[in-house]
Amino acid sequence: MPLATAPRVTGSTADRARYDRATGGLTAPLAVVDLRAFDANAADLVRRARGKPVRVASKSVRCRALLERVLARDGFAGVLAFTLAEALWLARSGVDDVLLAYPSADRAGFAELTSDARLARAVTVMIDDPAQLALVEAARAGREEVRVCLELDTSLQLLGGRVRLGALRSPVRDPERLAELARSVGRRPGVRLVGLMAYEAHVAGVGDAPAGHPVRARAVRLVQAAARRELAVRRAEAVAAVRAVADLEFVNGGGTGSVQHTAAEAAVTEVAAGSGLFVPRLFDDYTSFHGRPAALFALPVVRRPGVGVVTVLGGGYPASGAPGRDRLPVPHLPAGLRLAPQEGAGEVQTPLLGQAADDLLIGDKVWFRHAKAGELCERFAVLHLVDGDRVAETVPTYRGEGRTFL
């Protein structure tokens, strides 16, 4: 029986017509979020979470209005923030459960956190090293107790550790070491251990059906299956070891690409996801779910250099990570356009090739998909929320609110 493959995501003429009508009075460059696609993606994440709450990864959204929209839905609870300053801002804005996904060295932020009872109740900080606790203590400016979460390394290690598959995150891998870290938290005044996080980036963030690479796809699926089995056992042991030391309010795991697998583990109490709301192009290559592209940006045609070529304004919006063509935005609508190999997505202009270029006029919009979810919002001050063929609302991104946390 042949292995399943992820379908290629293609846009439709009807979608292009809708987006063009909705933004007909707006000047590109601009960014939109298709609310019907966004809501459908949110519903699918809840379905895959199997009754466990989904914590929203804010770095993949970076828009307060959309964070509020998804948190108002049944099945979502809490935010996974990316900096302490952002976590404090969200808490001051009314979010009552913010988990900081990464350790911080923000001394001013820790001083503020320990001086405000409401913030201290809402924000949980992440650690994987006693030195991070010492920094919190040194920055303390008030008497409020700091809520702490431990992070477990999830990487798959083979051949006695000589081969490592997974993100370079926490140095704490063994349940025994994690329990010792938990005990070190318990010995320090002013901090309280409340949670554990284990994010399997090598499963959640790596597509298992890369287009045109069937051998690689099979290898990815085999490795990910082995990684899930190994982690499920080790995560359960780690949770048990830490629960013997402290009462845990939550155990967080997963990501968009692994929600249903992680949610199936009894030791996990909640899953995290964010990219699955926007579904950028890096999330096309999965067999376990097929989302709808919800976030797009439009660039105007400003030149027609020749047959089969148009040039649009701007477009140099590469994603973070190891450089490669998969980090570039891609033309989505009209179908049949591609980046010029020698120029790619340019800082000020982007040439596009293909027969579809001959049907485009100066001033027409070309719709693009970006590679990584929330990074689009670092380029645009507002998002136009499209409902059908109209803009229902225009809302600020973090950038539009003057917030650039990284």
Side-chain angles (χ1 to χ4, degrees), residues 46-73:
V46 170
R47 177 190 64 80
R48 291 197 287 132
R50 305 182 183 195
K52 292 185 177 177
V54 180
R55 186 180 290 273
V56 187
S58 62
K59 79 178 182 66
S60 301
V61 179
R62 303 191 202 195
C63 171
R64 275 201 303 160
L66 290 176
L67 287 174
E68 291 168 0
R69 183 183 183 92
V70 75
L71 286 173
R73 299 180 63 97

mmCIF file of all heavy atoms in Angstrom, residues 46-73:
data_model
loop_
_atom_site.group_PDB
_atom_site.id
_atom_site.type_symbol
_atom_site.label_atom_id
_atom_site.label_comp_id
_atom_site.label_asym_id
_atom_site.label_seq_id
_atom_site.Cartn_x
_atom_site.Cartn_y
_atom_site.Cartn_z
ATOM 1 N N VAL A 46 -8.489 21.988 17.743
ATOM 2 C CA VAL A 46 -9.255 21.503 18.893
ATOM 3 C C VAL A 46 -9.641 20.038 18.694
ATOM 4 O O VAL A 46 -9.553 19.220 19.612
ATOM 5 C CB VAL A 46 -10.499 22.378 19.117
ATOM 6 C CG1 VAL A 46 -11.424 21.749 20.155
ATOM 7 C CG2 VAL A 46 -10.090 23.781 19.544
ATOM 8 N N ARG A 47 -10.049 19.695 17.477
ATOM 9 C CA ARG A 47 -10.416 18.304 17.179
ATOM 10 C C ARG A 47 -9.228 17.384 17.409
ATOM 11 O O ARG A 47 -9.358 16.328 18.050
ATOM 12 C CB ARG A 47 -10.898 18.195 15.726
ATOM 13 C CG ARG A 47 -11.237 16.756 15.293
ATOM 14 C CD ARG A 47 -11.477 16.684 13.787
ATOM 15 N NE ARG A 47 -10.285 17.023 13.015
ATOM 16 C CZ ARG A 47 -9.279 16.197 12.776
ATOM 17 N NH1 ARG A 47 -9.291 14.965 13.282
ATOM 18 N NH2 ARG A 47 -8.239 16.588 12.052
ATOM 19 N N ARG A 48 -8.067 17.782 16.933
ATOM 20 C CA ARG A 48 -6.890 16.937 17.066
ATOM 21 C C ARG A 48 -6.375 16.868 18.504
ATOM 22 O O ARG A 48 -5.673 15.929 18.870
ATOM 23 C CB ARG A 48 -5.783 17.433 16.135
ATOM 24 C CG ARG A 48 -6.091 17.221 14.663
ATOM 25 C CD ARG A 48 -4.856 17.331 13.795
ATOM 26 N NE ARG A 48 -4.361 18.680 13.642
ATOM 27 C CZ ARG A 48 -3.090 19.037 13.801
ATOM 28 N NH1 ARG A 48 -2.177 18.143 14.142
ATOM 29 N NH2 ARG A 48 -2.711 20.294 13.624
ATOM 30 N N ALA A 49 -6.716 17.867 19.317
ATOM 31 C CA ALA A 49 -6.245 17.891 20.707
ATOM 32 C C ALA A 49 -7.012 16.917 21.599
ATOM 33 O O ALA A 49 -6.640 16.725 22.758
ATOM 34 C CB ALA A 49 -6.349 19.299 21.276
ATOM 35 N N ARG A 50 -8.074 16.316 21.095
ATOM 36 C CA ARG A 50 -8.775 15.230 21.788
ATOM 37 C C ARG A 50 -9.252 15.609 23.189
ATOM 38 O O ARG A 50 -9.132 14.855 24.147
ATOM 39 C CB ARG A 50 -7.870 13.997 21.880
ATOM 40 C CG ARG A 50 -7.339 13.529 20.540
ATOM 41 C CD ARG A 50 -6.492 12.281 20.680
ATOM 42 N NE ARG A 50 -5.910 11.869 19.411
ATOM 43 C CZ ARG A 50 -5.366 10.681 19.188
ATOM 44 N NH1 ARG A 50 -5.329 9.774 20.164
ATOM 45 N NH2 ARG A 50 -4.855 10.371 18.023
ATOM 46 N N GLY A 51 -9.780 16.801 23.320
ATOM 47 C CA GLY A 51 -10.337 17.217 24.596
ATOM 48 C C GLY A 51 -9.370 17.905 25.526
ATOM 49 O O GLY A 51 -9.774 18.423 26.576
ATOM 50 N N LYS A 52 -8.092 17.927 25.198
ATOM 51 C CA LYS A 52 -7.123 18.643 26.027
ATOM 52 C C LYS A 52 -6.998 20.086 25.551
ATOM 53 O O LYS A 52 -7.084 20.355 24.346
ATOM 54 C CB LYS A 52 -5.763 17.946 25.995
ATOM 55 C CG LYS A 52 -5.812 16.584 26.693
ATOM 56 C CD LYS A 52 -4.469 15.908 26.784
ATOM 57 C CE LYS A 52 -4.607 14.583 27.558
ATOM 58 N NZ LYS A 52 -3.342 13.834 27.633
ATOM 59 N N PRO A 53 -6.831 21.043 26.457
ATOM 60 C CA PRO A 53 -6.776 22.447 26.046
ATOM 61 C C PRO A 53 -5.566 22.741 25.176
ATOM 62 O O PRO A 53 -4.492 22.159 25.357
ATOM 63 C CB PRO A 53 -6.713 23.205 27.373
ATOM 64 C CG PRO A 53 -6.231 22.205 28.375
ATOM 65 C CD PRO A 53 -6.721 20.869 27.920
ATOM 66 N N VAL A 54 -5.756 23.669 24.248
ATOM 67 C CA VAL A 54 -4.687 24.116 23.356
ATOM 68 C C VAL A 54 -4.199 25.478 23.842
ATOM 69 O O VAL A 54 -4.980 26.430 23.930
ATOM 70 C CB VAL A 54 -5.176 24.225 21.903
ATOM 71 C CG1 VAL A 54 -4.040 24.703 21.002
ATOM 72 C CG2 VAL A 54 -5.730 22.892 21.420
ATOM 73 N N ARG A 55 -2.926 25.562 24.162
ATOM 74 C CA ARG A 55 -2.313 26.836 24.537
ATOM 75 C C ARG A 55 -1.775 27.485 23.257
ATOM 76 O O ARG A 55 -1.022 26.864 22.500
ATOM 77 C CB ARG A 55 -1.184 26.608 25.550
ATOM 78 C CG ARG A 55 -0.583 27.894 26.095
ATOM 79 C CD ARG A 55 0.517 27.606 27.098
ATOM 80 N NE ARG A 55 0.030 27.056 28.344
ATOM 81 C CZ ARG A 55 -0.387 27.777 29.382
ATOM 82 N NH1 ARG A 55 -0.379 29.105 29.300
ATOM 83 N NH2 ARG A 55 -0.802 27.191 30.488
ATOM 84 N N VAL A 56 -2.120 28.747 23.018
ATOM 85 C CA VAL A 56 -1.775 29.412 21.760
ATOM 86 C C VAL A 56 -0.356 29.957 21.804
ATOM 87 O O VAL A 56 0.001 30.719 22.715
ATOM 88 C CB VAL A 56 -2.741 30.575 21.450
ATOM 89 C CG1 VAL A 56 -2.465 31.129 20.058
ATOM 90 C CG2 VAL A 56 -4.183 30.124 21.564
ATOM 91 N N ALA A 57 0.463 29.574 20.833
ATOM 92 C CA ALA A 57 1.822 30.092 20.716
ATOM 93 C C ALA A 57 1.768 31.478 20.074
ATOM 94 O O ALA A 57 1.522 31.619 18.878
ATOM 95 C CB ALA A 57 2.679 29.148 19.881
ATOM 96 N N SER A 58 2.018 32.506 20.873
ATOM 97 C CA SER A 58 1.828 33.877 20.389
ATOM 98 C C SER A 58 2.816 34.270 19.303
ATOM 99 O O SER A 58 2.515 35.119 18.465
ATOM 100 C CB SER A 58 1.934 34.860 21.551
ATOM 101 O OG SER A 58 3.233 34.813 22.136
ATOM 102 N N LYS A 59 4.003 33.660 19.287
ATOM 103 C CA LYS A 59 4.970 34.040 18.258
ATOM 104 C C LYS A 59 4.461 33.714 16.863
ATOM 105 O O LYS A 59 4.920 34.296 15.873
ATOM 106 C CB LYS A 59 6.317 33.343 18.503
ATOM 107 C CG LYS A 59 6.391 31.884 18.070
ATOM 108 C CD LYS A 59 7.772 31.308 18.301
ATOM 109 C CE LYS A 59 7.871 29.866 17.816
ATOM 110 N NZ LYS A 59 7.739 29.760 16.341
ATOM 111 N N SER A 60 3.502 32.792 16.778
ATOM 112 C CA SER A 60 2.952 32.398 15.492
ATOM 113 C C SER A 60 1.744 33.233 15.086
ATOM 114 O O SER A 60 1.196 33.030 14.006
ATOM 115 C CB SER A 60 2.548 30.916 15.527
ATOM 116 O OG SER A 60 3.654 30.107 15.821
ATOM 117 N N VAL A 61 1.334 34.164 15.946
ATOM 118 C CA VAL A 61 0.165 35.001 15.661
ATOM 119 C C VAL A 61 0.537 36.487 15.682
ATOM 120 O O VAL A 61 0.258 37.224 14.737
ATOM 121 C CB VAL A 61 -0.978 34.706 16.658
ATOM 122 C CG1 VAL A 61 -2.191 35.586 16.377
ATOM 123 C CG2 VAL A 61 -1.363 33.231 16.609
ATOM 124 N N ARG A 62 1.111 36.965 16.773
ATOM 125 C CA ARG A 62 1.617 38.340 16.913
ATOM 126 C C ARG A 62 0.569 39.402 16.577
ATOM 127 O O ARG A 62 0.873 40.426 15.958
ATOM 128 C CB ARG A 62 2.893 38.545 16.079
ATOM 129 C CG ARG A 62 3.984 37.561 16.439
ATOM 130 C CD ARG A 62 5.318 37.879 15.839
ATOM 131 N NE ARG A 62 6.133 36.677 15.789
ATOM 132 C CZ ARG A 62 7.438 36.651 15.586
ATOM 133 N NH1 ARG A 62 8.090 37.781 15.431
ATOM 134 N NH2 ARG A 62 8.090 35.504 15.533
ATOM 135 N N CYS A 63 -0.632 39.150 16.999
ATOM 136 C CA CYS A 63 -1.732 40.093 16.816
ATOM 137 C C CYS A 63 -2.703 39.868 17.964
ATOM 138 O O CYS A 63 -3.270 38.778 18.092
ATOM 139 C CB CYS A 63 -2.418 39.865 15.461
ATOM 140 S SG CYS A 63 -3.949 40.785 15.237
ATOM 141 N N ARG A 64 -2.884 40.883 18.819
ATOM 142 C CA ARG A 64 -3.716 40.689 20.006
ATOM 143 C C ARG A 64 -5.164 40.373 19.651
ATOM 144 O O ARG A 64 -5.806 39.553 20.316
ATOM 145 C CB ARG A 64 -3.655 41.931 20.894
ATOM 146 C CG ARG A 64 -2.477 41.942 21.842
ATOM 147 C CD ARG A 64 -2.725 42.860 23.008
ATOM 148 N NE ARG A 64 -3.017 44.229 22.580
ATOM 149 C CZ ARG A 64 -3.621 45.115 23.343
ATOM 150 N NH1 ARG A 64 -4.021 44.798 24.562
ATOM 151 N NH2 ARG A 64 -3.824 46.339 22.900
ATOM 152 N N ALA A 65 -5.696 41.012 18.609
ATOM 153 C CA ALA A 65 -7.093 40.777 18.250
ATOM 154 C C ALA A 65 -7.324 39.320 17.872
ATOM 155 O O ALA A 65 -8.353 38.727 18.230
ATOM 156 C CB ALA A 65 -7.507 41.693 17.105
ATOM 157 N N LEU A 66 -6.367 38.711 17.177
ATOM 158 C CA LEU A 66 -6.522 37.310 16.784
ATOM 159 C C LEU A 66 -6.252 36.370 17.947
ATOM 160 O O LEU A 66 -6.865 35.297 18.040
ATOM 161 C CB LEU A 66 -5.617 36.996 15.588
ATOM 162 C CG LEU A 66 -6.055 37.659 14.279
ATOM 163 C CD1 LEU A 66 -5.043 37.383 13.174
ATOM 164 C CD2 LEU A 66 -7.440 37.181 13.854
ATOM 165 N N LEU A 67 -5.349 36.748 18.848
ATOM 166 C CA LEU A 67 -5.168 35.948 20.056
ATOM 167 C C LEU A 67 -6.462 35.933 20.870
ATOM 168 O O LEU A 67 -6.898 34.887 21.360
ATOM 169 C CB LEU A 67 -4.023 36.512 20.903
ATOM 170 C CG LEU A 67 -2.601 36.289 20.379
ATOM 171 C CD1 LEU A 67 -1.597 37.036 21.251
ATOM 172 C CD2 LEU A 67 -2.250 34.807 20.334
ATOM 173 N N GLU A 68 -7.093 37.092 20.996
ATOM 174 C CA GLU A 68 -8.356 37.169 21.735
ATOM 175 C C GLU A 68 -9.444 36.356 21.036
ATOM 176 O O GLU A 68 -10.258 35.693 21.691
ATOM 177 C CB GLU A 68 -8.781 38.624 21.868
ATOM 178 C CG GLU A 68 -7.877 39.431 22.802
ATOM 179 C CD GLU A 68 -8.114 40.927 22.700
ATOM 180 O OE1 GLU A 68 -8.993 41.350 21.899
ATOM 181 O OE2 GLU A 68 -7.416 41.687 23.407
ATOM 182 N N ARG A 69 -9.449 36.390 19.710
ATOM 183 C CA ARG A 69 -10.470 35.649 18.957
ATOM 184 C C ARG A 69 -10.359 34.150 19.218
ATOM 185 O O ARG A 69 -11.359 33.467 19.457
ATOM 186 C CB ARG A 69 -10.323 35.936 17.463
ATOM 187 C CG ARG A 69 -11.395 35.260 16.582
ATOM 188 C CD ARG A 69 -11.136 35.532 15.103
ATOM 189 N NE ARG A 69 -12.186 34.964 14.267
ATOM 190 C CZ ARG A 69 -13.271 35.617 13.872
ATOM 191 N NH1 ARG A 69 -13.471 36.876 14.259
ATOM 192 N NH2 ARG A 69 -14.175 35.029 13.106
ATOM 193 N N VAL A 70 -9.139 33.635 19.183
ATOM 194 C CA VAL A 70 -8.984 32.191 19.346
ATOM 195 C C VAL A 70 -9.158 31.776 20.803
ATOM 196 O O VAL A 70 -9.699 30.705 21.096
ATOM 197 C CB VAL A 70 -7.636 31.721 18.755
ATOM 198 C CG1 VAL A 70 -6.465 32.088 19.640
ATOM 199 C CG2 VAL A 70 -7.653 30.224 18.494
ATOM 200 N N LEU A 71 -8.745 32.630 21.743
ATOM 201 C CA LEU A 71 -8.912 32.294 23.155
ATOM 202 C C LEU A 71 -10.380 32.302 23.569
ATOM 203 O O LEU A 71 -10.748 31.680 24.577
ATOM 204 C CB LEU A 71 -8.118 33.269 24.029
ATOM 205 C CG LEU A 71 -6.599 33.080 24.023
ATOM 206 C CD1 LEU A 71 -5.916 34.213 24.776
ATOM 207 C CD2 LEU A 71 -6.212 31.732 24.620
ATOM 208 N N ALA A 72 -11.224 32.982 22.797
ATOM 209 C CA ALA A 72 -12.657 32.993 23.092
ATOM 210 C C ALA A 72 -13.347 31.701 22.660
ATOM 211 O O ALA A 72 -14.500 31.462 23.028
ATOM 212 C CB ALA A 72 -13.321 34.189 22.405
ATOM 213 N N ARG A 73 -12.652 30.862 21.905
ATOM 214 C CA ARG A 73 -13.223 29.606 21.434
ATOM 215 C C ARG A 73 -13.081 28.515 22.494
ATOM 216 O O ARG A 73 -12.082 28.469 23.218
ATOM 217 C CB ARG A 73 -12.519 29.135 20.150
ATOM 218 C CG ARG A 73 -12.623 30.067 18.966
ATOM 219 C CD ARG A 73 -11.882 29.474 17.781
ATOM 220 N NE ARG A 73 -12.487 28.220 17.352
ATOM 221 C CZ ARG A 73 -13.357 28.117 16.347
ATOM 222 N NH1 ARG A 73 -13.719 29.181 15.669
ATOM 223 N NH2 ARG A 73 -13.851 26.940 16.008
#
